[in-house]
Amino acid sequence: MATVSRLSDPTVELLDEIDAFIFDCDGVIWLGDSIIDGVPETLDKLRSMGKKMFFVTNNSTKSRAGYKKKFDKLGLNSVPAEEIFSSSFAAAAYLEQTKFKDTGKKVYLIGEVGICEELDLIGVPWIGGPNDTGKVPSMGPGDALQHDTDVGAVIVGFDRHVNYYKIQSAQLCINENEGCEFIATNLDAVTHLTDAQKWAGNGSMVGAIRGCTGREPTVVGKPSPLMIDYLCDKYALDRRRICMVGDRLDTDVLFGSDNGLRSVLVLSGVTNEEKLLGDENKITPDFYTDSINDFFPK
């Protein structure tokens, strides 16, 4: 049985020790399109204490600008765009770090508008994505799907309109274009599209491309270190005084432990107490609690 302490004295155990909080969004701040009760007030209290806050999500369907609109819609107007980091932003940041634009190549995309907008901002050309929604390849005798030989990277992000045309196009680019890179925004098994149930996540789409190429992707979202490296460099943060707060063991908590951060698992999302404390779980946070509202017990 995994041994994890339930958060009991948040002031001593957490608030006095932490300067910056990194929050996952789905399952921590909201569920689907519904804010979790009490979260706005909790964030306001943390901000009034001078705590730095960042919101890091593996969901790539929106750009940073798109997520800012969602925060505002949910009443979190005090969160500036500069505090929001999505895996769509991480994908673009990775291409900038690796100087992909200098190659003159383009990206084939399985994903939604969030990645498109982030690639547009850095001037990297892309094909596929929303433009290939609804397409069906001809599969009669002698038919072959033509692919773009100038594609130098395939990015796979969450795509509610994934289809066989996109899968075939991606595998052709990876298998037949020399040096083509396979990039995944994240490997999340499930996600919160609504607050009523769990839905298959980007891991299912990455799995399809992994299966037909035999290639392992470069993962840019959590638990990859790319985003924490970016934050520490930009804001001069001390990793020992950063806490990752999330609802997933294999992304959020692992992101914390792999990168030298403290971590708190909340039970308001996909992970329940039975799974956390079960014999099969090998990933443990520093503390766990029901929701971030427990940072300020009543």
Side-chain angles (χ1 to χ4, degrees):
M1 182 175 180
T3 302
V4 188
S5 298
R6 181 179 272 274
L7 190 66
S8 59
D9 188 344
T11 299
V12 173
E13 295 169 334
L14 194 64
L15 299 178
D16 288 347
E17 301 293 322
I18 299 300
D19 298 327
F21 287 89
I22 299 176
F23 293 103
D24 179 42
C25 295
D26 298 322
V28 178
I29 305 300
W30 59 64
L31 290 171
D33 289 322
S34 302
I35 192 76
I36 294 175
D37 288 343
V39 162
E41 294 78 10
T42 295
L43 296 181
D44 286 343
K45 290 176 182 176
L46 288 171
R47 201 175 293 279
S48 70
M49 295 176 69
K51 304 298 184 185
K52 290 184 173 66
M53 291 187 288
F54 303 97
F55 302 85
V56 178
T57 174
N58 267 354
N59 191 326
S60 64
T61 59
K62 294 180 177 64
S63 62
R64 294 177 82 180
Y67 271 109
K68 171 58 179 166
K69 292 178 181 177
K70 179 167 185 174
F71 273 84
D72 290 348
K73 182 179 178 181
L74 293 175
L76 298 173
N77 307 72
S78 62
V79 176
E82 293 75 23
E83 291 180 353
I84 303 168
F85 296 87
S86 65
S87 61
S88 53
F89 170 81
Y94 173 77
L95 293 182
E96 280 197 306
Q97 285 183 352
T98 57
K99 302 187 183 304
F100 179 83
K101 187 176 179 180
D102 294 348
T103 68
K105 299 286 187 179
K106 64 187 72 169
V107 168
Y108 183 81
L109 174 64
I110 293 178
E112 300 189 17
V113 67
I115 307 176
C116 305
E117 291 177 353
E118 294 291 356
L119 294 182
D120 287 342
L121 287 174
I122 63 171
V124 169
W126 57 270
I127 60 173
N131 296 337
D132 285 352
T133 296
K135 290 185 178 180
V136 179
S138 298
M139 292 177 281
D143 283 334
L145 181 63
Q146 300 300 312
H147 76 286
D148 194 322
T149 58
D150 285 332
V151 168
V154 170
I155 297 178
V156 181
F158 186 70
D159 190 334
R160 284 166 287 195
H161 305 285
V162 67
N163 55 37
Y164 192 65
Y165 186 97
K166 295 180 183 181
I167 293 172
Q168 174 66 352
S169 297
Q171 78 85 6
L172 287 171
C173 291
I174 293 172
N175 284 334
E176 299 191 13
N177 291 359
E178 183 177 357
C180 184
E181 189 163 6
F182 175 20
I183 301 166
T185 59
N186 66 85
L187 302 177
D188 292 3
V190 295
T191 190
H192 293 287
L193 290 182
T194 70
D195 58 359
Q197 64 179 185
K198 299 172 186 176
W199 298 77
N202 194 49
S204 62
M205 293 145 208
V206 175
I209 306 306
R210 180 195 280 131
C212 60
T213 63
R215 293 266 302 276
E216 290 296 324
T218 297
V219 181
V220 296
K222 296 172 294 184
S224 163
L226 187 145
M227 283 196 274
I228 189 63
D229 290 346
Y230 179 90
L231 288 173
C232 288
D233 290 344
K234 184 174 178 64
Y235 296 98
L237 302 176
D238 181 352
R239 292 175 188 243
R240 296 168 297 180
R241 296 188 63 84
I242 302 173
C243 182
M244 176 67 215
V245 183
D247 67 322
R248 297 174 187 268
L249 293 165
D250 59 350
T251 54
D252 300 321
V253 174
L254 193 61
F255 179 73
S257 60
D258 281 358
N259 293 291
L261 318 178
R262 303 286 292 279
S263 63
V264 172
L265 180 87
V266 291
L267 304 177
S268 50
V270 302
T271 305
N272 57 34
E273 191 172 36
E274 181 181 5
K275 181 177 180 180
L276 170 64
L277 301 179
D279 292 335
E280 295 183 359
N281 177 38
K282 306 300 180 186
I283 304 172
T284 55
D286 292 290
F287 298 100
Y288 77 100
T289 192
D290 292 330
S291 78
I292 68 169
N293 298 326
D294 296 330
F295 291 4
F296 300 95
K298 296 178 180 178

